[in-house]
Amino acid sequence: MAIKKMGWKELMPGDAISGGTAAEFETGDWRSEKPIFHKENCINCYFCWAYCPDSAILLDENKKVVGIDYKYCKGCGICDRECPTKKEKRAITMETERK
Amino acid sequence: MEKIVEIRWHGRGGQGAKTAALLFADCAMSLGKYIQAFPEYGPERMGAPVQAFDRLSDHPITLHCGITNPQIVLVLDPTLMATVDVTQGLPADGSLIVNTSKSPQEIRKELGLKNAKIYTVDASAISKDKIGRDIPNTPMLGALVKVSGLLDYDQMIKDTEVKLEKKFAHKPEIVKGNIEAIKTAYDKVKGEK
Amino acid sequence: MPRIARTGNEAMAEAMRQINPHVVAAYPITPATEIVMIFAGFVANGVVDTQFVAVESEHSAMSACVGAAAAGCRVMTGTSSQGLQLMSEILPIASALALPIVLCEVNRALSGPINIHCDHSDTMAVRDFGWIQIFAENAQEAYDSVLQAVVIAENMQVRLPAMVTTDGFIISHCMERVEALEDAEVKKYVGEFKAVNSVLDVGKPLTMGCLDLQDYYFEHKMPIVESMKKAKDVILEVGLDFGKQFGREYGLVENYKMDDAEIAMVAMGSTCGTARVVVDELRGKGVKAGLLKVRAFRPFPAEEIKQSLSKLKSVAIMDRSDMFKNQGGQVFTEIRSAMYGGANSPILTNYIYGLGGREISLDDIRKIFAEQKKNAESGEVSQLIQHFGVRI
Amino acid sequence: MPGLRDLVKKSDPLTGGHRACAGCGAPIVVRQVLMSSKDPVVVVSATGCLEVVTTIFPYSAWTVPFLHNAFENSAATCSGIEAAYQALKRTGKIKEGQHINFVAFGGDGGTYDIGFQSLSGAVERGHDMLYVCYNNEAYMNTGIQRSSATPKGASTTTAPAGKVIPGKVQFSKNLTEIMVAHEMPYVAQSAVGFWRDLTSKAEKAFSIRGPKFINVLQPCRLGWGYKPADTAAIGRLAADTCVWPLYEVENGKYKLTYKPKEKKPVVEFLKSQDRFRHLLKPGNEAILESIQKETDKRWEALLAKSEG
């Protein structure tokens, strides 16, 4: 991400900034493990969503889990660990990140 | 009044030397003077000898150094004179006003003072009589006005009355007692013949 | 205009009452305690609308002030000495966040040894934190300057916190005649507070106080540099306007009998008043003596001082604190730096004096002027820096 | 009590793109606490991991108003904001009924240690605010130094497990009980891994006016030494071994909010993390025993209060 650095005259007064700008910052390249979402097995319990530290569980407009936001996902694997689905019908599985 | 008149008050912590200095300056200001009033500050507590000071002038006062040669010294508690040199820095033509039942001559003898003018007034007795408690600082104001001639007596009484009325709005007897004490001290303060 | 008899502390508290700030967060400390006490009385009696936060330390006082100011409020506090030092971690945060907090500071020596009396070491220790610093000579100036500080700090070109100082006990506890303004006049003079940012604006969520890495910290310091530049003009404008409105004019410095002076004293705070008396005396004797009072120490009025001093022969620069760097005190250091490169520079000598409330008398000042006279006549510096009046 | 089905409808107080470690528990605490508020929130954070990773200029992960001041003063700063809110309400600048919840976050360093005076003062003054300690039991931001929240035996960089001294010598300070002693309206302990427990407590705290305090155990994969996926699981293990009981104290009344079905031995918790690994070597039996004993003592005391 090559974002032009602001000069001091371009800064908001008083060391302030609009909230939420970190959304522009990608942390997806931190991953070595990658969660894969299997929609057909998802029971929409939202445990993955509740425990994801990176707000990286994607929901659709009906608030159903639809996938992982790889822009932010750091691959910690909490979503997989907390997913209560059975071994043979996992909604989230981890695999090695392919570069 | 051409120059600045400087006054020093001696008392014990809690006796109201600071209050007297502030009251007098406040009153003088109301009567058109430029003033300063300040206590001497230290870690002393109730009972320790303390000092407070006044400066009065018809012109703005800019200097902010301490007062070392006061023209007038007031002693709220005569027992202080045994340990504190209340005449320190007092010029030959200065005045010393002591709250005591003794005469100026007796005080002069006790202090072994060669010059300066000495005045006495039994402010404690007046205070007990008029206010009901031994708070000599208000009657001493009366004595100070008489001795110094710095302020107009009638105006001073009037101004003090107004201030006390504001402070003790619900206690008119306190106002009356204080004013009477000031008046009595004004009348009774005596100098050497 | 009401004429009132007030100590420096009372005058500052009176100004605070009339300003009626939204929030005051403060902690008591000698000799500034009275400011807080008197103000707490105003709150208890409902004469101000202020939310008063009686915090558990000065650190929390300044922290709460920052919180309240970041929430879009007019905020004030008062402190002294150790209290100012305890706040000091938060002082540069207040300026970086561009929060126009106004602080009533009573100059008092720093521990150790512990001492409650006046010197300027506390205020000097926080001189480089992006706060405007105004030194008041007496209770009247303290009152007027607190009112002006609100207007200066809140000026959109400035938007910096400001402290107004009085000398501990000498002014803070000395009752003097003060010409006050009417409540309505003050209300009109300081006007409505205009917030730039507010964390209470939940509809427009801001993040304030970010972590800056090497790529932004420097940029975030520049607005303070710029604001301090503008603050010089604003202090002047506000001082002039105050004079027009209320008859007492103020500047960055005050030149007293300096026009044709050959020798002079430079001082800050209450000492200036005492020095005036000596200047008058010397003038009466035909000595061309003057006094330069430095009122604003931050921003530092280097140009104005240079202009005032460049035609003189010898100048005594008074510092009521030492920097312990073997090169004089803060005022001396600043002025020497300001004079560098000028065509005509007078002999500058430094007097570090009055530490811990040590008296500076008329005789002391006479002595210092006599030394200046000697310097002027001989063209030589007798002693560059002296710790005046200290026993050996 | 809000379910996750309700919470997912809320806007997220934090965006992605912040720089917390993979598997960090702190953002989990923040999201669960703030999404439990029905009203708008204003947040203050102490200097620490949370503040550092979420506000690297010009990227702020906060979608709610946020102020960082310094390390030891988040409670004082928050009390200033709350005072400002009261002042503006009084002068009519903020409308009556426009309620805002004020939340201060601090790590255990900023809460138990350097920020304790500020917290105690703000609570004593009775500000309407919720203070949340995200307690990861050491100064993680500066590289895992001991705090007074660090448990006995844990190895940190300022109380390392050495040849002579086996990690931290002292037991952790029981800050939750100290806050109870402030006789404030609401005090609670929760842990990452119990979303319903934490959101219920946050919701209850927001319904109460005055100062509230929640101490949330927040496993730190870096400082504690475990696989990042285990963050929530280790929080649950802490509760199951009773090293970190979940309870609340409302107006002085204790209530256990989670009772393990079977109280597991403390060693189960210790062996899950690298910071305690040295304790499992032969020769440290006495330390293990003392930790179990202290855990039992605190647990029994809590049970007694809760039943009483």
Side-chain angles (χ1 to χ4, degrees):
Chain A
M1 263 184 311
I3 288 177
K4 187 187 163 282
K5 304 271 189 206
M6 288 177 274
W8 71 265
K9 290 185 180 180
E10 299 170 87
L11 300 173
M12 271 180 81
D15 189 11
I17 189 167
S18 296
T21 50
E24 295 163 31
F25 193 87
E26 294 184 17
T27 49
D29 57 358
W30 293 26
R31 266 192 321 275
S32 58
E33 296 269 305
K34 184 177 187 177
I36 309 293
F37 178 64
H38 310 284
K39 189 162 177 45
E40 65 281 10
N41 295 337
C42 177
I43 55 168
N44 276 298
C45 68
Y46 300 113
F47 287 2
C48 57
W49 175 87
Y51 288 112
C52 175
D54 294 297
S55 306
I57 303 298
L58 290 170
L59 305 176
D60 67 9
E61 63 270 29
N62 299 316
K63 301 294 170 189
K64 299 288 175 205
V65 180
V66 290
I68 310 292
D69 193 339
Y70 293 117
K71 188 178 172 189
Y72 306 125
C73 171
K74 294 168 186 157
C76 68
I78 293 179
C79 53
D80 168 48
R81 180 80 163 74
E82 297 300 312
C83 180
T85 52
K86 291 202 174 73
K87 204 174 176 185
E88 58 280 8
K89 288 184 81 178
R90 297 292 295 161
I92 298 176
T93 52
M94 298 301 287
E95 57 182 55
T96 305
E97 181 78 22
R98 276 181 290 270
K99 299 285 173 187
Chain B
M1 192 162 57
E2 266 299 299
K3 46 179 227 167
I4 297 167
V5 175
E6 296 180 322
I7 300 167
R8 184 172 71 212
W9 298 75
H10 288 274
R12 294 192 185 276
Q15 273 180 344
K18 178 191 164 187
T19 310
L22 295 183
L23 262 175
F24 183 67
D26 197 356
C27 177
M29 190 203 70
S30 301
L31 304 189
K33 304 281 185 206
Y34 286 88
I35 51 111
Q36 279 182 1
F38 52 97
E40 153 216 64
Y41 271 93
E44 291 85 3
R45 299 291 192 263
M46 301 284 284
V50 294
Q51 300 175 17
F53 304 90
D54 284 304
R55 276 195 179 104
L56 267 68
S57 174
D58 289 331
H59 306 285
I61 306 167
T62 66
L63 78 173
H64 279 109
C65 49
I67 290 172
T68 46
N69 298 97
Q71 286 90 329
I72 303 168
V73 172
L74 293 103
V75 181
L76 288 181
D77 184 341
T79 64
L80 276 170
M81 295 192 294
T83 49
V84 178
D85 179 10
V86 297
T87 63
Q88 192 179 37
L90 187 68
D93 61 346
S95 303
L96 176 71
I97 312 174
V98 185
N99 165 26
T100 176
S101 56
K102 292 175 186 167
S103 70
Q105 290 82 356
E106 283 173 282
I107 297 296
R108 182 174 293 282
K109 210 172 148 195
E110 273 179 31
L111 291 173
L113 196 64
K114 296 235 159 42
N115 41 37
K117 289 165 270 185
I118 298 182
Y119 301 86
T120 61
V121 61
D122 198 348
S124 291
I126 294 170
S127 165
K128 276 183 221 156
D129 181 34
K130 303 293 180 189
I131 310 170
R133 285 195 300 143
D134 184 4
I135 33 173
N137 56 0
T138 14
M140 286 296 271
L141 286 174
L144 174 59
V145 170
K146 175 77 167 284
V147 169
S148 69
L150 287 168
L151 304 179
D152 181 90
Y153 174 67
D154 293 330
Q155 281 186 347
M156 179 263 181
I157 292 291
K158 223 168 115 189
D159 180 72
T160 308
E161 210 163 3
V162 171
K163 287 208 176 86
L164 289 172
E165 272 166 3
K166 226 181 252 172
K167 202 171 165 189
F168 302 102
H170 50 288
K171 288 177 184 167
E173 72 282 1
I174 289 185
V175 180
K176 197 167 163 261
N178 273 286
I179 293 296
E180 275 182 26
I182 294 172
K183 286 180 174 170
T184 309
Y186 183 89
D187 292 334
K188 286 197 170 171
V189 64
K190 49 182 185 283
E192 291 158 299
K193 296 282 145 46
Chain C
M1 272 189 221
R3 173 179 300 160
I4 51 178
R6 291 286 187 278
T7 64
N9 282 344
E10 289 167 350
M12 281 178 148
E14 178 70 358
M16 285 173 74
R17 178 187 70 74
Q18 294 179 306
I19 291 162
N20 194 13
H22 293 112
V23 175
V24 169
Y27 189 77
I29 182 168
T30 304
T33 304
E34 281 178 343
I35 302 173
V36 180
M37 266 165 51
I38 296 166
F39 195 80
F42 294 147
V43 174
N45 290 312
V47 298
V48 287
D49 303 312
T50 307
Q51 191 74 17
F52 176 60
V53 192
V55 282
E56 83 296 336
S57 73
E58 288 88 356
H59 193 283
S60 284
M62 189 44 63
S63 300
C65 283
V66 164
C73 280
R74 180 175 277 156
V75 179
M76 297 184 78
T77 187
T79 195
S80 182
S81 187
Q82 306 303 106
L84 188 64
Q85 304 315 299
L86 193 52
M87 282 181 181
S88 71
E89 186 206 9
I90 310 303
L91 297 178
I93 297 172
S95 55
L97 292 173
L99 305 174
I101 298 162
V102 172
L103 187 157
C104 297
E105 149 70 13
V106 181
N107 296 309
R108 167 186 149 182
L110 290 180
S111 296
I114 187 168
N115 172 289
I116 57 169
H117 293 282
C118 173
D119 70 35
H120 294 169
S121 53
D122 54 349
T123 303
M124 283 298 157
V126 301
R127 70 192 183 275
D128 300 334
F129 291 161
W131 281 62
I132 289 166
Q133 293 185 322
I134 294 174
F135 283 74
E137 180 184 322
N138 51 38
Q140 180 72 61
E141 283 194 18
Y143 173 82
D144 291 345
S145 296
V146 170
L147 299 182
Q148 289 174 51
V150 171
V151 177
I152 294 162
E154 291 176 11
N155 183 294
M156 287 299 170
Q157 303 279 303
V158 177
R159 226 55 196 188
L160 286 177
M163 60 181 78
V164 176
T165 82
T166 62
D167 283 351
F169 291 110
I170 300 168
I171 301 303
S172 69
H173 285 66
C174 177
M175 194 171 86
E176 295 183 284
R177 174 162 153 168
V178 174
E179 311 286 339
L181 308 189
E182 300 287 353
D183 289 1
E185 283 179 312
V186 173
K187 195 177 171 192
K188 187 166 165 254
Y189 178 69
V190 297
E192 281 270 314
F193 182 76
K194 290 183 194 74
V196 173
N197 299 323
S198 171
V199 287
L200 284 181
D201 190 350
V202 291
K204 189 184 144 212
L206 288 176
T207 297
M208 292 172 74
C210 286
L211 168 71
D212 277 5
L213 302 180
Q214 298 93 321
D215 59 349
Y216 274 105
Y217 181 86
F218 202 169
E219 278 69 24
H220 267 130
K221 285 293 164 188
M222 289 308 290
I224 304 176
V225 175
E226 187 70 5
S227 291
M228 268 298 174
K229 270 186 204 159
K230 292 186 172 144
K232 255 184 79 173
D233 296 333
V234 172
I235 292 169
L236 269 177
E237 283 162 24
V238 168
L240 275 173
D241 173 67
F242 195 85
K244 267 187 212 142
Q245 288 198 55
F246 310 115
R248 291 182 299 278
E249 193 179 299
Y250 291 87
L252 294 155
V253 297
E254 185 193 328
N255 288 293
Y256 186 70
K257 305 199 173 169
M258 286 292 282
D259 283 349
D260 62 339
E262 289 174 355
I263 56 171
M265 175 174 278
V266 182
M268 299 201 297
S270 62
T271 304
C272 296
T274 313
R276 274 173 220 275
V277 177
V278 177
V279 168
D280 290 347
E281 261 176 34
L282 291 170
R283 286 280 172 174
K285 291 176 191 163
V287 180
K288 288 184 173 170
L291 166 74
L292 177 67
K293 174 165 93 182
V294 179
R295 176 175 179 246
F297 189 72
R298 286 290 181 272
F300 189 73
E303 282 307 311
E304 290 74 7
I305 290 172
K306 194 173 174 181
Q307 210 180 341
S308 299
L309 300 185
S310 54
K311 284 182 197 147
L312 272 71
K313 289 184 178 158
S314 185
V315 178
I317 296 165
M318 306 295 286
D319 264 298
R320 205 160 191 154
S321 65
D322 196 357
M323 294 171 91
F324 308 111
K325 64 166 192 172
N326 306 324
Q327 230 191 326
Q330 291 88 350
V331 184
F332 181 64
T333 302
E334 298 280 11
I335 292 181
R336 249 187 146 197
S337 152
M339 299 304 288
Y340 182 79
N344 304 306
S345 185
I347 292 170
L348 302 178
T349 49
N350 190 203
Y351 294 78
I352 291 162
Y353 76 104
L355 301 194
R358 178 68 52 88
E359 171 82 355
I360 178 96
S361 68
L362 288 166
D363 273 343
D364 293 332
I365 294 173
R366 286 181 191 120
K367 191 173 167 228
I368 292 167
F369 267 107
E371 288 178 6
Q372 298 316 301
K373 205 162 164 257
K374 223 172 104 190
N375 289 347
E377 281 159 9
S378 67
E380 277 170 36
V381 181
S382 50
Q383 195 178 349
L384 183 67
I385 296 155
Q386 53 177 299
H387 290 82
F388 183 82
V390 76
R391 291 183 303 278
I392 296 165
Chain D
M1 211 189 296
L4 293 179
R5 263 164 240 287
D6 306 307
L7 291 182
V8 289
K9 291 176 190 144
K10 298 241 182 164
S11 67
D12 203 323
L14 279 182
T15 67
H18 60 70
R19 267 49 97 70
C21 295
C24 177
I28 302 172
V29 175
V30 169
R31 294 174 73 233
Q32 291 182 2
V33 167
L34 297 184
M35 288 170 95
S36 306
S37 172
K38 289 189 189 75
D39 296 309
V41 293
V42 172
V43 174
V44 173
S45 172
T47 309
C49 276
L50 175 66
E51 164 265 333
V52 163
V53 301
T54 54
T55 69
I56 301 175
F57 195 87
Y59 302 105
S60 163
W62 298 88
T63 64
V64 295
F66 174 93
L67 174 64
H68 160 250
N69 189 348
F71 188 10
E72 68 280 55
N73 63 358
S74 68
T77 305
C78 196
S79 67
I81 298 178
E82 194 263 353
Y85 167 77
Q86 301 297 348
L88 293 177
K89 220 161 70 171
R90 181 174 321 140
T91 50
K93 297 268 166 57
I94 284 179
K95 285 189 199 85
E96 202 60 46
Q98 190 189 330
H99 188 73
I100 295 175
N101 283 318
F102 299 98
V103 186
F105 287 103
D108 49 302
T111 308
Y112 278 65
D113 294 344
I114 197 168
F116 178 64
Q117 173 185 314
S118 164
L119 169 62
S120 180
V123 167
E124 183 273 334
R125 293 190 299 272
H127 295 280
D128 184 20
M129 59 187 267
L130 168 62
Y131 191 104
V132 178
C133 175
Y134 63 102
N135 175 10
N136 46 42
E137 299 193 325
Y139 296 108
M140 299 315 185
N141 188 39
T142 44
I144 318 158
Q145 291 82 30
R146 89 185 281 285
S147 78
S148 60
T150 304
K152 181 174 179 175
S155 181
T156 60
T157 54
T158 50
K163 283 182 188 149
V164 183
I165 304 169
K168 195 189 176 204
V169 176
Q170 304 84 357
F171 290 106
S172 67
K173 180 157 92 184
N174 197 334
L175 181 67
T176 307
E177 288 303 300
I178 295 169
M179 296 320 291
V180 171
H182 282 69
E183 304 198 344
M184 55 198 290
Y186 187 75
V187 176
Q189 244 183 217
S190 188
V192 171
F194 295 89
W195 69 265
R196 189 180 286 282
D197 185 82
L198 179 54
T199 57
S200 303
K201 282 169 180 170
E203 194 190 42
K204 184 180 271 186
F206 288 133
S207 74
I208 297 166
R209 298 282 69 84
K212 287 86 58 176
F213 176 81
I214 306 180
N215 196 348
V216 189
L217 187 74
Q218 179 246 303
C220 167
R221 47 83 44 114
L222 180 76
W224 294 16
Y226 61 83
K227 284 205 301 292
D230 292 340
T231 292
I234 286 192
R236 287 191 289 269
L237 193 53
D240 282 335
T241 52
C242 297
V243 300
W244 192 261
L246 310 189
Y247 67 105
E248 65 185 5
V249 186
E250 201 178 342
N251 294 317
K253 224 176 128 199
Y254 282 72
K255 188 180 158 198
L256 215 56
T257 57
Y258 176 77
K259 202 167 180 178
K261 283 193 194 86
E262 175 209 351
K263 182 168 170 276
K264 292 181 179 166
V266 171
V267 71
E268 295 289 309
F269 179 71
L270 303 182
K271 71 185 185 190
S272 69
Q273 302 150 55
D274 291 346
R275 61 175 172 160
F276 298 117
R277 182 183 288 164
H278 59 285
L279 295 180
L280 304 171
K281 288 181 193 152
N284 288 320
E285 292 78 5
I287 299 168
L288 290 178
E289 199 184 313
S290 75
I291 296 171
Q292 182 67 58
K293 224 173 130 187
E294 180 67 16
T295 305
D296 291 346
K297 190 188 96 188
R298 290 188 186 187
W299 173 246
E300 293 301 328
L302 183 62
L303 282 181
K305 283 181 200 166
S306 305
E307 285 157 8

